[in-house]
Amino acid sequence: MKQVISTVLAPKAIGPYSQAIEVNGTIYCSGQIPIDPQTGELVAGTIEVQAERVMKNLQAVLAEAGVGFDHVVKTTCFLADLADFQAFNAVYGKYFPENAPARSCVAVAGLPKGAKVEVEVIAVK
């Protein structure tokens, strides 16, 4: 059975989607961009600043589902500029210090609200 996961500690959906959905112990988190959940505004700054906000948003959604980054099995990362790859990895790697999940990382033509990064995750209980 499908269960909607939602928390005020992560940004509200900016479209017709849920922050996450849990089905049979698997949590599918929608992509997070660097929106501050308190203001609803995009966090300005470097790729590092934006990546940190993205990971904190995902952390809040995962926590609402009762898991952490250690339960993540797959991520998909979207970068507006592949030149940011190393700097993004430095932030991302802090959240997966060991047993990192499978991952895809792609450059895209653009992201919502002009974000530099978006990350979606799949986790299991």
Side-chain angles (χ1 to χ4, degrees):
M1 182 155 223
K2 179 171 108 172
Q3 177 183 353
V4 174
I5 307 295
S6 181
T7 177
V8 297
L9 299 177
K12 292 180 184 178
I14 58 174
Y17 61 89
S18 299
Q19 290 174 334
I21 296 291
E22 181 178 346
V23 178
N24 298 327
T26 300
I27 300 122
Y28 301 89
C29 293
S30 293
Q32 287 287 326
I33 60 174
I35 294 178
D36 182 320
Q38 293 182 354
T39 67
E41 298 296 321
L42 185 78
V43 174
T46 65
I47 186 66
E48 293 92 347
V49 169
Q50 288 199 0
E52 192 69 44
R53 179 75 262 162
V54 165
M55 299 308 285
K56 286 180 180 177
N57 290 346
L58 286 167
Q59 190 171 39
V61 174
L62 290 168
E64 185 66 24
V67 298
F69 283 112
D70 57 328
H71 287 83
V72 173
V73 296
K74 173 71 169 82
T75 68
T76 306
C77 308
F78 306 93
L79 298 176
D81 186 347
L82 209 51
D84 289 332
F85 186 74
Q86 277 190 308
F88 167 73
N89 269 341
V91 174
Y92 176 94
K94 293 188 312 185
Y95 290 87
F96 300 106
E98 55 187 43
N99 301 318
R103 180 178 95 169
S104 300
C105 187
V106 297
V108 295
L111 291 166
K113 296 189 175 267
K116 296 177 186 210
V117 59
E118 180 174 358
V119 178
E120 65 182 27
V121 305
I122 300 171
V124 294
K125 286 192 167 179

